[in-house]
């Protein structure tokens, strides 16, 4: 089946008197925009990865609260505020690892706590904040792109894991934003895309984005990463992040840690690009980052066909969706306020207090 063309500059999510997203579970075979009309559909879209990627989840939750606020038609400011709190609690329970979700909900709730003359004034303020969250993310991604592109040599082979592109953000991407900016500046790059088992965000989404942008890419199984690194054809690795602790430990898609270990073995720099909304200075180290455990079915079946024995007392399946890469394996953290180098504790504290 031919890959459907994406409109250039596709919008991962859009507000048009309602919340519209690209249903990412259908890509690359179908490009479909869906409207999320109520709290249940917004929560379901986040849990089932119709919208996914740390910054995009934050934006979706922020606009999600605007959808919910628009549906409350009775009562005054106090009742509306209570409804927003209830919706925020439900959205906060969808996925535990990406801190951007909680960061965006906190920003929205802070707005909801101010004084308003009417429910409509509160609704307007919420929508303005959601737009700011989206616009700030876009600006951060573009800034990371131009800063990070400096780290990319002309002619580089770059390996990436999962999808940290436009689809995972408000539209430009973090790790893929760096690759995109290097490409847009005229550097020749080719991207080794890990398929990213079990949900194939690399094969389905990153490969699709690279193709849409005309950036040369090679898709292979996750286990081929060692072969590519051993071949000397990869000059750097770059991924996104779901949460970065105060000491620089990075939670990202399961398999990222393995890639970072390989990079250290082969002497290849391993970079992480993430906006400051992904940093969680309340956690001293990655040990405290909550790791989402997803359904065993995602591992034990492929396209509805079982590929593993039935689970019983002696046989079980583990499906952690993320892992934690220790800071000492990270060559640099690319943020919108600069490129951070070890020791990360000091660098992160300084950048967050700017
Ligand atoms: O489970 P997902 O698809 O939401 O996981 C996404 C990732 O792990 C991304 O690498 C991360 O969120 C960074 S996105 C800019």
């Amino acid at each position: 089946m031919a890959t459907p063309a994406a409109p250039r500059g596709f919008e991962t999510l859009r507000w048009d008197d309602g919340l519209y997203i690209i249903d990412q579970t259908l890509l690359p075979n179908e490009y479909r925009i869906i409207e999320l009309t109520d709290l249940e559909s917004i929560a379901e879209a986040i849990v089932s990865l119709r919208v996914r990627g740390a910054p995009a989840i934050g934006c979706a939750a922020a606009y999600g609260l605007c959808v919910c606020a628009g549906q409350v038609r009775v009562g005054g400011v106090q009742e509306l505020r209570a409804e927003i709190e209830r919706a925020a609690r439900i959205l906060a329970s969808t996925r535990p690892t990406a801190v951007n979700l909680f960061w965006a909900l906190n920003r929205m709730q802070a707005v909801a706590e101010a004084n308003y003359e009417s429910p409509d004034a509160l609704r307007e303020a919420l929508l303005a904040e959601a737009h700011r969250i989206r616009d700030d993310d876009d600006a951060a991604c573009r800034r990371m792109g131009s800063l990070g592109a400096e780290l990319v040599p002309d002619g580089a082979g770059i390996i990436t894991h999962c999808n940290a592109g436009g689809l995972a953000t408000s539209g430009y991407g973090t790790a893929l934003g760096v690759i995109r900016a290097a490409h847009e500046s005229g550097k020749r790059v080719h991207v080794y895309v890990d398929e990213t088992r079990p949900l194939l965000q690399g094969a389905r989404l990153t490969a699709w984005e690279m193709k849409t942008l005309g950036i040369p890419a090679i898709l292979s199984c996750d286990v081929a990463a060692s072969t590519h690194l051993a071949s000397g054809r990869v000059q750097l690795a770059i991924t996104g992040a779901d949460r970065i602790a105060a000491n620089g430990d990075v939670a990202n898609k399961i398999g990222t840690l393995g890639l970072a270990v390989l990079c250290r073995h082969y002497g290849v720099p391993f970079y992480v690009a993430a906006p400051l909304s992904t940093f969680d200075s309340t956690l001293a180290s990655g040990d405290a980052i909550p790791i989402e455990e997803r359904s065993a079915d995602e591992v034990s079946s492929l396209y509805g066909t079982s590929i593993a024995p039935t689970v019983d007392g002696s046989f079980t399946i583990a499906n952690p969706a993320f892992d934690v890469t220790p800071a000492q394996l990270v060559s640099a953290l690319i943020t919108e306020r600069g490129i951070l180098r070890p020791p990360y504790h000091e660098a992160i504290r300084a950048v967050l207090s700017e």
Side-chain angles (χ1 to χ4, degrees):
M1 193 192 298
T3 306
R8 266 197 95 76
F10 60 82
E11 283 179 296
T12 305
L13 30 67
R14 175 166 53 90
W15 182 265
D16 189 1
D17 269 340
L19 173 57
Y20 295 83
I21 62 159
I22 300 172
D23 183 344
Q24 299 188 32
T25 61
L26 303 176
L27 285 170
N29 297 322
E30 189 184 341
Y31 181 87
R32 191 195 296 171
I33 308 286
I34 57 169
E35 184 179 5
L36 303 178
T37 52
D38 53 24
L39 179 59
E40 286 66 35
S41 67
I42 297 157
E44 189 279 336
I46 295 174
V47 170
S48 64
L49 313 196
R50 293 184 206 287
V51 58
R52 32 72 46 210
I57 296 172
C59 294
Y63 281 124
L65 289 187
C66 299
V67 172
C68 299
Q71 288 178 338
V72 182
R73 285 282 151 221
V74 288
V77 170
Q78 203 45 46
E79 287 80 2
L80 179 55
R81 197 177 279 130
E83 247 340 274
I84 290 161
E85 267 170 34
R86 188 184 75 85
R89 268 198 307 278
I90 290 173
L91 293 177
S93 69
T94 51
R95 298 192 75 191
T97 305
V99 76
N100 309 60
L101 171 64
F102 312 101
W103 170 88
L105 289 172
N106 285 344
R107 261 180 76 160
M108 295 294 283
Q109 280 180 286
V111 166
E113 275 156 25
N115 288 325
Y116 297 95
E117 280 176 3
S118 68
D120 275 346
L122 170 50
R123 286 189 193 95
E124 253 175 58
L126 287 172
L127 186 56
E129 185 67 0
H131 287 325
R132 264 193 299 274
I133 287 172
R134 180 205 54 198
D135 293 347
D136 289 353
D137 180 64
D138 186 59
C141 287
R142 287 172 195 278
R143 182 80 188 126
M144 280 186 279
S146 64
L147 289 171
E150 299 295 317
L151 300 170
V152 178
D154 187 28
I158 308 171
I159 192 161
T160 190
H161 192 74
C162 195
N163 172 268
L167 290 167
T169 63
S170 58
Y172 193 79
T174 58
L176 296 192
V178 170
I179 294 172
R180 190 168 167 175
H183 170 77
E184 283 163 1
S185 76
K187 288 181 180 165
R188 290 158 304 148
V189 293
H190 52 285
V191 183
Y192 290 86
V193 178
D194 281 357
E195 64 171 349
T196 316
R197 277 279 290 150
L199 294 180
L200 306 176
Q201 287 93 331
R204 295 186 302 102
L205 309 176
T206 296
W208 180 82
E209 282 198 42
M210 293 295 91
K211 207 169 140 100
T212 300
L213 293 166
I215 300 176
I218 303 135
L219 170 67
S220 31
C221 301
D222 298 331
V223 286
S226 46
T227 297
H228 295 316
L229 283 157
S231 74
R233 287 193 291 262
V234 177
Q235 280 65 51
L236 62 122
I238 182 161
T239 72
D242 285 84
R243 196 185 291 228
I244 301 176
N247 69 345
D249 290 350
V250 173
N252 192 49
K253 181 54 56 193
I254 191 80
T256 304
L257 169 60
L259 180 60
V261 170
L262 280 172
C263 286
R264 178 56 54 92
H265 181 79
Y266 287 106
V268 168
F270 177 83
Y271 299 121
V272 173
L276 296 179
S277 55
T278 305
F279 286 72
D280 184 352
S281 58
T282 68
L283 302 185
S285 78
D287 294 345
I289 297 177
I291 299 295
E292 179 182 9
E293 181 73 26
R294 292 184 63 89
S295 160
D297 300 347
E298 293 177 353
V299 174
S300 65
S301 64
L302 272 184
Y303 298 106
T305 302
S306 174
I307 56 160
T310 311
V311 167
D312 62 20
S314 68
F315 171 68
T316 54
I317 291 170
N319 186 17
F322 301 94
D323 57 27
V324 176
T325 299
Q328 62 267 29
L329 294 179
V330 179
S331 309
L333 294 167
I334 302 162
T335 77
E336 67 271 39
R337 289 212 193 125
I339 295 176
L340 314 186
R341 301 273 184 183
Y344 289 119
H345 204 279
E346 288 72 20
I348 290 172
R349 205 176 29 209
V351 88
L352 289 179
S353 60
E354 263 175 39

